[in-house]
Amino acid sequence: MPELPEVETVRDGLARWVAGRTVARVEVTHARAVRRHLAGAQDLAARLTGATLASAERRGKYLWLPLAGRAEALVAHLGMSGQLLVQPPESADEKHLHVRIGFTDGGRELRFVDQRTFGGVLLDVLAPTVDHPEQQVPAQIVHIARDPVDPLFDEAEFSRRLRRRDSAIKRALLDQSLVSGIGNIYADESLWRARLHGERPARGLTRRQVEDLLGHVRDVLGAALRAGGTSFDALYVNVNGQSGYFDRSLSAYGREGEPCPRCGTAIARNSFMNRSSFFCPSCQRPPRRAALSSPRRAALSP
DNA sequence: TATTTAACCTGGACGC
DNA sequence: TGCGTCCAGGTTAAAT
């Protein structure tokens, strides 16, 4: 599933293959892929045709390609299975090809392919960021927090906000308005490295624990980025259709029943937030019931 | 206001 | 072989 390392790998590919090129035509073959462009597919195509894609930017799991000389950008989110592929025009259409963008140079096309259709593209105006108004991001994502590898990420502010939360740590890590780029896989991996159970209340964490957790988040994201991201199947690939290799380095996620690399206890799995959570029952002690937030306590009561 | 839940969606895996 | 069910999870509107 595309989280920060996967999206950054795609962004890097777009910067190499697409930036500086001028759009000649846009074809939308699946309306759901542009559902967040409220003016519709025709409007998206009309406004994008003739525009030059200046660069490739990212915040968290969102990508955008600013249009040269205009305060607008082509925004993309990969959802769970979205792919942005750079393909020769003559190559066969992918089964789930939803948007095709051709360029005036006649070279490789940019294709948005998405099996589960949770992702999409849209054209959006740029707006100043809250913390650094001299910087601009697409208006629809101004609520998305900076990610932990952003040089302007404010650790002190993150710690303060996290430790004020009346919810579980994992839920907070997945909240993109608190910290972006982390999904289910890297949340579990980071918590395993920090020896923290995801259901522990965020409010009970010390500053030191938050610093430690953040360090592990950065380590995991960095290692995954160097491996080209995590791929369990063909759903995540870079712009050239290649998979990443970080799944071979995962310690907890997807390893139910396998020995914990640290203590040998079998990795456990439970359901949390309608998702699977993987953890070591020995290294990551579950919180005492009294420490759980009230709704969670009520949910666990017989 | 803060937090939690449910819905969206498709195809692979699995059991019968 | 074919059918039905479950599962994967990022985002956000709606509910609590």
Side-chain angles (χ1 to χ4, degrees):
Chain A
M1 311 303 162
E3 300 181 33
L4 188 153
E6 294 75 35
V7 177
E8 174 58 22
T9 302
V10 172
R11 187 209 63 78
D12 183 63
L14 293 176
R16 294 179 193 208
W17 289 91
V18 174
R21 300 174 70 195
T22 300
V23 175
R25 63 195 170 279
V26 178
E27 182 188 355
V28 177
T29 56
H30 196 305
R32 186 172 157 79
V34 297
R35 65 194 181 283
R36 291 179 67 186
H37 187 84
L38 300 180
Q42 281 192 330
D43 178 83
L44 175 75
R47 287 167 60 190
L48 201 52
T49 302
T52 298
L53 306 177
S55 59
E57 313 289 335
R58 180 190 59 76
R59 174 175 282 203
K61 303 170 193 171
Y62 280 90
L63 289 163
W64 69 94
L65 301 157
L67 308 187
R70 290 161 58 175
E72 291 180 300
L74 175 63
V75 185
H77 193 289
L78 303 180
M80 289 177 59
S81 56
Q83 301 173 348
L84 281 165
L85 303 174
V86 179
Q87 299 281 52
E90 65 274 14
S91 69
D93 288 0
E94 291 75 12
K95 185 176 178 185
H96 302 287
L97 173 63
H98 295 337
V99 180
R100 183 204 315 275
I101 298 175
F103 295 95
T104 55
D105 56 20
R108 289 173 175 252
E109 298 174 341
L110 177 61
R111 298 180 179 182
F112 181 73
V113 176
D114 192 6
Q115 180 195 99
R116 295 180 191 169
T117 68
F118 278 29
V121 299
L122 72 145
L123 202 58
D124 196 14
V125 296
L126 296 172
T129 61
V130 176
D131 53 348
H132 289 270
E134 72 280 8
Q135 283 192 343
Q136 291 192 316
V137 298
Q140 290 210 15
I141 66 166
V142 289
H143 66 289
I144 299 293
R146 291 182 186 275
D147 57 63
V149 300
D150 185 327
L152 294 176
F153 182 81
D154 188 336
E155 290 187 29
E157 174 68 4
F158 167 71
S159 178
R160 190 180 63 81
R161 290 183 63 198
L162 177 67
R163 297 192 305 118
R164 244 179 19 194
R165 287 274 169 127
D166 257 335
S167 64
I169 308 171
K170 181 168 178 179
R171 187 183 292 278
L173 285 180
L174 296 177
D175 183 347
Q176 305 297 300
S177 67
L178 177 66
V179 56
S180 68
I182 305 170
N184 201 42
I185 298 172
Y186 298 119
D188 277 2
E189 286 300 298
S190 302
L191 289 165
W192 178 84
R193 292 189 181 205
R195 299 172 186 252
L196 291 170
H197 194 285
E199 292 185 44
R200 278 187 57 167
R203 194 181 280 276
L205 293 176
T206 64
R207 282 197 188 88
R208 178 69 64 86
Q209 283 177 310
V210 175
E211 285 173 16
D212 186 52
L213 175 60
L214 192 54
H216 288 299
V217 168
R218 285 179 168 141
D219 287 347
V220 170
L221 295 178
L225 191 52
R226 287 189 293 278
T230 301
S231 302
F232 294 106
D233 46 36
L235 290 184
Y236 159 69
V237 294
N238 65 16
V239 297
N240 298 313
Q242 298 160 327
S243 296
Y245 294 97
F246 191 68
D247 58 312
R248 297 172 190 175
S249 307
L250 294 172
S251 300
Y253 184 87
R255 304 247 183 258
E256 183 183 18
E258 296 180 27
C260 167
R262 200 161 41 209
C263 72
T265 303
I267 295 292
R269 178 176 80 145
N270 66 11
S271 181
F272 179 55
M273 296 174 63
N274 294 324
R275 275 138 187 72
S276 285
S277 283
F278 298 88
F279 62 99
C280 170
S282 296
C283 301
Q284 299 166 266
R285 292 287 183 189
R288 292 194 303 270
R289 293 170 72 86
L292 295 168
S293 58
S294 320
R296 180 73 184 146
R297 235 179 10 249
L300 291 174
S301 298

